[in-house]
C-alpha cells in the first residue's frame, strides 16, 4: 500500500470508529502525524485527497475539520466522476436509473404533497402538446428530480442527480429522431402524476419503469 493510501486509511478509520466525528477539528499536523506513525508529508497528501472528496474541510488559518458527512455532500464526488463517462456506457446508466428511480417514485407516492403535485401538473400543462425538444428535456429533468426528492431519501436524490446527467444527451437525441417521443413522454409523465395523486405506489413504480425503459429500448435499437 502506498504511503498516502495508508495515511488515508488511518484517517478514515478514526472517522469510522468515532474517534473523529462530523464537525470535529483534527489535531495539529505534527501531533496527528506522530500519533498515526506517519510523515507530515504523507499526512498532508492524505488530507488534501480527503478534502477533494468532501470528507475533510481545510480552513485556511483555522485548521482542518471533518465535514458534516451528509450523503448529499459526499455524493458530489460521484457526480464529478460520472462526468467522465463514455458514450458507450449510457445504456448502463439508464439501466441503473431503471432500477433506482421506480423505487423512488413508489416511495414518493406516500410522501409527495398536493402542492408539489399541483406544481408538476401546472408545469406539464404549460408545456402544451408540442413543446420543443429542449423544453421537453428541461421539464423532464426537473420532473424526475422533483419526484425523487419527494421520496424523502437524500441518498436516492443525490444518486439520481449524478446518474441523470449522462442520459441527457440521449433524451435530446431521442426527441429529435423518434417520431412519437414527445407525445409518449408527455403521456407517461401524466400517467406517473395520476398514480402519485391516487397514492398508488405500485402504479407509480410501473409507469416510472415503462418511462425509463422506453428510452433504454430506443437507445439500444438506435445503437
Amino acid at each position: 500500500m502506498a504511503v498516502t493510501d495508508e495515511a488515508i486509511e488511518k484517517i478514515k478509520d478514526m472517522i469510522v470508529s468515532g474517534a473523529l466525528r462530523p464537525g470535529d477539528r483534527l489535531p495539529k499536523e505534527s501531533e496527528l502525524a506522530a500519533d498515526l506513525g506517519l510523515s507530515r508529508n504523507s499526512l498532508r497528501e492524505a488530507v488534501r485527497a480527503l478534502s477533494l472528496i468532501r470528507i475533510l474541510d481545510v480552513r485556511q488559518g483555522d485548521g482542518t475539520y471533518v465535514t458534516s458527512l451528509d450523503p448529499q455532500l459526499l455524493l458530489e464526488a460521484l457526480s464529478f466522476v460520472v462526468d467522465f463517462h463514455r458514450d458507450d456506457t449510457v445504456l448502463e446508466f439508464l439501466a441503473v436509473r431503471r432500477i433506482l428511480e421506480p423505487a423512488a417514485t413508489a416511495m414518493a407516492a406516500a410522501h409527495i404533497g398536493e402542492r408539489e403535485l399541483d406544481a408538476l401538473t401546472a408545469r406539464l400543462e404549460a408545456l402544451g402538446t408540442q413543446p420543443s425538444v429542449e423544453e421537453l428535456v428541461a421539464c423532464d429533468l426537473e420532473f424526475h428530480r422533483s419526484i425523487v426528492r419527494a421520496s424523502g431519501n437524500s441518498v436516492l436524490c443525490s444518486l439520481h442527480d449524478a446518474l441523470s446527467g449522462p442520459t441527457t444527451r440521449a433524451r435530446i437525441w431521442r426527441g429529435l429522431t423518434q417520431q412519437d417521443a414527445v407525445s409518449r413522454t408527455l403521456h407517461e409523465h401524466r400517467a406517473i402524476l395520476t398514480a402519485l395523486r391516487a397514492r398508488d405506489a405500485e402504479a407509480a413504480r410501473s409507469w416510472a419503469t415503462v418511462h425509463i425503459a422506453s428510452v433504454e429500448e430506443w437507445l439500444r435499437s438506435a445503437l
Side-chain angles (χ1 to χ4, degrees), residues 18 24 46 63 74 78 85 99 110 120 152 156 159 168 172 174 189 204 209:
D24 282 356
L74 299 183
L78 175 61
H85 76 282
I99 294 167
L120 287 170
L156 267 177
L159 287 171
T168 301
I172 294 173
R174 181 195 183 210
H189 279 188
T209 302

Side-chain angles (χ1 to χ4, degrees), residues 52-69:
L52 287 174
I53 58 173
R54 313 303 292 272
I55 302 292
L56 298 178
D57 179 19
V58 179
R59 304 176 189 174
Q60 199 65 35
D62 185 16
T64 299
Y65 293 79
V66 180
T67 66
S68 65
L69 302 181

Side-chain angles (χ1 to χ4, degrees), residues 28-210:
K28 290 181 179 179
E29 184 181 90
S30 56
E31 295 175 8
L32 186 58
D35 288 344
L36 297 178
L38 302 167
S39 71
R40 293 178 69 171
N41 279 340
S42 61
L43 176 61
R44 204 170 293 137
E45 288 299 318
V47 167
R48 186 177 293 115
L50 290 170
S51 68
L52 287 174
I53 58 173
R54 313 303 292 272
I55 302 292
L56 298 178
D57 179 19
V58 179
R59 304 176 189 174
Q60 199 65 35
D62 185 16
T64 299
Y65 293 79
V66 180
T67 66
S68 65
L69 302 181
D70 182 87
Q72 289 181 295
L73 180 69
L74 299 183
L75 285 169
E76 285 180 9
L78 175 61
S79 298
F80 180 79
V81 172
V82 165
D83 285 341
F84 291 95
H85 76 282
R86 304 186 314 273
D87 284 347
D88 61 357
T89 62
V90 173
L91 273 171
E92 294 179 12
F93 282 104
L94 280 168
V96 175
R97 275 191 65 204
R98 180 166 43 81
I99 294 167
L100 294 179
E101 197 164 324
T105 306
M107 291 167 65
H111 300 289
I112 194 165
E114 291 298 323
R115 185 177 298 177
E116 294 166 288
L117 287 168
D118 289 344
L120 287 170
T121 301
R123 179 133 192 214
L124 274 184
E125 289 175 351
L127 273 181
T129 57
Q130 293 183 315
S132 69
V133 171
E134 291 76 12
E135 289 172 334
L136 180 68
V137 171
C139 180
D140 187 61
L141 291 168
E142 184 55 34
F143 179 85
H144 291 286
R145 189 177 195 280
S146 296
I147 291 172
V148 175
R149 188 168 57 234
S151 72
N153 189 306
S154 63
V155 175
L156 267 177
C157 193
S158 297
L159 287 171
H160 172 267
D161 287 349
L163 295 168
S164 187
T167 65
T168 301
R169 187 159 56 179
R171 294 185 222 188
I172 294 173
W173 182 20
R174 181 195 183 210
L176 291 170
T177 60
Q178 189 179 30
Q179 186 175 5
D180 62 345
V182 172
S183 60
R184 282 186 65 176
T185 298
L186 292 173
H187 170 69
E188 289 159 4
H189 279 188
R190 293 189 191 101
I192 291 169
L193 276 178
T194 298
L196 290 174
R197 278 197 187 277
R199 307 296 172 185
D200 188 335
E202 288 312 307
R205 185 196 306 273
S206 297
W207 275 111
T209 302
V210 166

